[in-house]
C-alpha cells in the first residue's frame, strides 16, 4: 500500500486522482500546510523541500521502497509503475510530457500567484494582480486553442490532464468564467464526471 502525504491543494489532488484512476491501494496522511506540518522533521525526511504531496511506495523499483516528491515526478512514476495514463509509443509520450511540463511550468505557478495576490496578500498590489490575471487568461487561451481540436491535452486522457484539472477546478479563485473558453469547459465538464476524479478531489476527506 502506498503512503500518500497530501493536503487539499491542486498539487495534492493530482496524485490522489492518479491513485484513484490507477486503482492503486493507498493510505492518506494529511499534512496541514496551514499549520506548517510540512516542515516537521519527520516529514522533511520524506520530502526535503517541505512541500506536499509526497508518496512512499514500499514496492518501488526492483522491489525496494522509494520516497517520491514533486507532483509531476510522482505522476510519471505512478504512470510508469502501472502502465496507465501514459502511452507506450515514444512520440505519444512526448506529447504527454510537453503538456505536463506546460502545467508544471505555467498553469500551476501562474494560477498560484493569481490566487495569492487575489486571496492571500496582506495588501492589494494592483500591478501583481494585473500581471498574473493577464497571464492566467493567456494560459486559458492556450488550453482552449489546444482543446479545440483535441478531446484531451495530449489527444487521449493522460497524466497531463490529471495535472491540469485541479488547477482549472479553482477557476473561481482566479476570476475566470469558463464559458469564455468553451473548449476548456467541455474538457473540464468531461473530466469532472469521472468517478475516480471525484474521489481523488475529496482527498484528504478529513481536516485537522
Amino acid at each position: 500500500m502506498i503512503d500518500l502525504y497530501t493536503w487539499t491543494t491542486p498539487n495534492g489532488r493530482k496524485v490522489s486522482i492518479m491513485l484513484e484512476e490507477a486503482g492503486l491501494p493507498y493510505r492518506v496522511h494529511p499534512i496541514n500546510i496551514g499549520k506548517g506540518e510540512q516542515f516537521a522533521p519527520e516529514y522533511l525526511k520524506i520530502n526535503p523541500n517541505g512541500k506536499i504531496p509526497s508518496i512512499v511506495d514500499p514496492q518501488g523499483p526492483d522491489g525496494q521502497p522509494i520516497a517520491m516528491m514533486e507532483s509531476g515526478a510522482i505522476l510519471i512514476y505512478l504512470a510508469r509503475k502501472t502502465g496507465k495514463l501514459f502511452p507506450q509509443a515514444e512520440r505519444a509520450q512526448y506529447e504527454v510530457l510537453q503538456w505536463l511540463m506546460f502545467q508544471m511550468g505555467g498553469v500551476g505557478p501562474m494560477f498560484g500567484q493569481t490566487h495569492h495576490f487575489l486571496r492571500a496578500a496582506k495588501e492589494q498590489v494592483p500591478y501583481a494582480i494585473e500581471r498574473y490575471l493577464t497571464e492566467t487568461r493567456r494560459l486559458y487561451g492556450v488550453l482552449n486553442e489546444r482543446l479545440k481540436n483535441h478531446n484531451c491535452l495530449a489527444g487521449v486522457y493522460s497524466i497531463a490532464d490529471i495535472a491540469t484539472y485541479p488547477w482549472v477546478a479553482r477557476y473561481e479563485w482566479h476570476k475566470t468564467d469558463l464559458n469564455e473558453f468553451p473548449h476548456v469547459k467541455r474538457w473540464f465538464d468531461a473530466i469532472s464526471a469521472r468517478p475516480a476524479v471525484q474521489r481523488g478531489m475529496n482527498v484528504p476527506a478529513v481536516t485537522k
Side-chain angles (χ1 to χ4, degrees):
M1 181 174 289
I2 291 174
D3 287 290
L4 169 63
Y5 300 82
T6 191
W7 195 238
T8 56
T9 70
N11 284 338
R13 286 167 169 159
K14 295 176 194 177
V15 178
S16 51
I17 290 172
M18 179 60 185
L19 287 164
E20 290 288 345
E21 290 280 15
L24 288 169
Y26 65 101
R27 179 169 40 227
V28 178
H29 303 270
I31 303 294
N32 190 329
I33 61 177
K35 295 181 178 179
E37 293 176 1
Q38 69 273 33
F39 302 119
E42 58 270 24
Y43 183 66
L44 290 175
K45 292 178 182 178
I46 298 169
N47 187 327
N49 195 31
K51 302 284 186 179
I52 62 96
S54 304
I55 64 168
V56 176
D57 183 359
Q59 294 293 323
D62 302 321
Q64 298 300 310
I66 187 171
M68 292 287 299
M69 64 178 190
E70 295 299 322
S71 58
I74 295 170
L75 289 180
I76 295 170
Y77 171 77
L78 293 174
R80 295 187 66 180
K81 175 184 176 73
T82 61
K84 296 181 178 180
L85 301 173
F86 192 62
Q88 296 298 311
E90 186 176 14
R91 180 175 292 273
Q93 288 181 354
Y94 287 124
E95 281 290 303
V96 171
L97 289 173
Q98 68 177 350
W99 286 102
L100 176 62
M101 294 305 114
F102 173 80
Q103 186 282 309
M104 300 296 296
V107 168
M110 295 300 103
F111 287 18
Q113 290 295 332
T114 300
H115 298 166
H116 174 79
F117 284 105
L118 285 177
R119 297 171 56 90
K122 295 180 180 180
E123 61 183 71
Q124 290 285 296
V125 185
Y127 170 77
I129 291 172
E130 180 180 2
R131 172 182 172 83
Y132 291 114
L133 275 175
T134 298
E135 179 63 4
T136 291
R137 289 189 62 83
R138 188 191 73 81
L139 291 167
Y140 267 101
V142 175
L143 289 170
N144 199 60
E145 185 65 21
R146 174 65 177 178
L147 291 166
K148 181 167 64 175
N149 297 311
H150 298 82
N151 288 330
C152 293
L153 290 174
V156 295
Y157 185 58
S158 73
I159 56 174
D161 302 289
I162 289 175
T164 307
Y165 173 83
W167 285 100
V168 175
R170 287 187 169 178
Y171 60 91
E172 292 180 340
W173 285 32
H174 40 262
K175 296 184 176 180
T176 298
D177 181 357
L178 288 186
N179 292 310
E180 296 181 20
F181 304 95
H183 306 298
V184 176
K185 187 176 188 306
R186 182 264 310 156
W187 166 88
F188 177 79
D189 289 345
I191 294 179
S192 295
R194 296 179 69 90
V197 171
Q198 295 170 9
R199 294 191 300 270
M201 287 290 287
N202 288 323
V203 174
V206 297
T207 59
K208 299 196 292 180

